[in-house]
Amino acid sequence: MKVILVTGGNRGIGLEICRQLDSMGHTVIMGSRYPEDGLEAAAGIKGNITVHRLDVTDEESIRVLKESVKAGYGRLDVLVNNAAVGAMADMKEISSWKGARNFIDKNMKGLGRMVRTATPFLRRTGIMPPKANAANVSLDAVRGILDVNLFGAWRMIQVFLPLLEKSPEGRIINVSSSSGELKSLSGEYPGYSLSKASLNALTIMFSNELRGKGIKVNAMCPGWVRTDMGGPTAPRDVAQGADTAVWLATCSQIPTGKFFRDRKEIEW
């Protein structure tokens, strides 16, 4: 059985990835920004998932987790870079409202769905600013998104690479999005789209760099999924969203340096 680390594993697609992998008998390490949320989520699964504090923007928390995994298992077989902020983070207030967002994340679960439902009305009345695009988005907001969605994954790979090299067949799975497909890039949700396109580029870079070490690196798009990030009107459930990541983590034969949706290769 494999030792698998899932970042942002305490809710949504990440939680479902943990659940499916645990049901297969793998050793699952759930990274959670707030450990109490991770423990609550893992208790709901009733499996053998280990929960650790992990903030992908905090290199110290990454290194502490790495030392824990090294001491407990001596290796890491699969790293699933799932932690991310969504397209709503393109709102101009991301920097000045960082503390408020942290409070909401921790204490007011489900508020994201309420905000999305009310967003059209709030924009029409001027309570909420117009949707951000490439011409007017706050670059501070873009930096904040990149710090999580791109540099967070990059930090994880750099720190955990020595443990992945100890695996018979190490794997890195980057949870991306169709918003990052080059052919469909537009000014809509510019920070989020740029972060996912950059994550795809990072996937190609590491797949080529690590090919000689036997570590396979791929990206996957879960599709539009009913989560706090995706909203209640999304057509897919979390099981569908998690399926390709679980397949990439467990299938005996996979390629490297590819982008997948529904277990099928798609264009970058």
Side-chain angles (χ1 to χ4, degrees):
M1 293 291 100
K2 297 174 182 282
V3 178
I4 305 174
L5 169 58
V6 182
T7 70
N10 60 290
R11 63 181 180 177
I13 295 169
L15 179 59
E16 179 63 15
I17 292 171
C18 289
R19 189 196 68 76
Q20 291 188 26
L21 291 171
D22 177 73
S23 71
M24 296 175 180
H26 297 288
T27 297
V28 179
I29 303 164
M30 176 194 291
S32 177
R33 188 176 180 188
Y34 302 108
E36 60 271 27
D37 290 347
L39 290 169
E40 181 182 346
I45 293 175
K46 297 181 180 179
N48 297 306
I49 295 171
T50 302
V51 178
H52 288 268
R53 177 185 178 272
L54 176 63
D55 181 345
V56 299
T57 67
D58 178 1
E59 191 160 326
E60 180 60 24
S61 83
I62 298 173
R63 293 193 181 279
V64 168
L65 177 53
K66 181 246 187 178
E67 291 305 316
S68 179
V69 174
K70 179 180 179 181
Y73 309 103
R75 74 181 196 281
L76 181 65
D77 296 305
V78 184
L79 169 61
V80 182
N81 281 315
N82 168 73
V85 293
M88 287 291 286
D90 274 300
M91 290 175 58
K92 294 179 181 179
E93 287 78 9
I94 184 172
S95 296
S96 59
W97 285 82
K98 184 175 182 180
R101 290 188 303 105
N102 289 348
F103 178 83
I104 290 169
D105 285 346
K106 186 174 182 180
N107 298 293
M108 302 177 69
K109 295 177 182 178
L111 183 61
R113 284 194 292 268
M114 296 169 57
V115 170
R116 286 184 188 86
T117 302
T119 290
F121 169 77
L122 295 174
R123 286 207 170 108
R124 286 196 303 271
T125 58
I127 297 173
M128 181 180 288
K131 182 186 297 184
N133 55 43
N136 66 19
V137 69
S138 161
L139 295 188
D140 285 339
V142 174
R143 291 186 189 96
I145 297 168
L146 291 173
D147 196 32
V148 178
N149 295 4
L150 171 63
F151 295 118
W154 204 333
R155 292 183 191 100
M156 290 296 299
I157 295 171
Q158 286 186 335
V159 173
F160 278 90
L161 187 55
L163 294 185
L164 287 163
E165 290 175 343
K166 293 183 181 297
S167 171
E169 189 188 15
R171 298 182 182 185
I172 299 169
I173 302 162
N174 294 323
V175 179
S176 186
S177 169
S178 60
S179 296
E181 293 182 60
L182 294 177
K183 65 179 181 180
S184 60
L185 284 179
S186 69
E188 189 172 19
Y189 301 118
Y192 180 76
S193 297
L194 179 63
S195 74
K196 293 303 185 178
S198 300
L199 183 63
N200 289 348
L202 189 76
T203 301
I204 297 171
M205 288 167 57
F206 270 110
S207 68
N208 290 328
E209 183 171 335
L210 301 178
R211 194 181 301 267
K213 297 184 177 181
I215 298 175
K216 296 181 178 180
V217 188
N218 291 290
M220 60 79 63
C221 169
W224 185 16
V225 180
R226 290 188 297 276
T227 62
D228 284 347
M229 186 182 293
T233 61
R236 292 184 156 209
D237 60 32
V238 288
Q240 292 172 299
D243 178 73
T244 299
V246 172
W247 171 70
L248 286 170
T250 59
C251 183
S252 58
Q253 295 293 327
I254 61 168
T256 188
K258 304 296 183 181
F259 191 15
F260 293 93
R261 184 191 300 117
D262 296 329
R263 303 191 183 191
K264 297 177 181 178
E265 183 181 347
I266 60 177
E267 296 181 7
W268 296 105

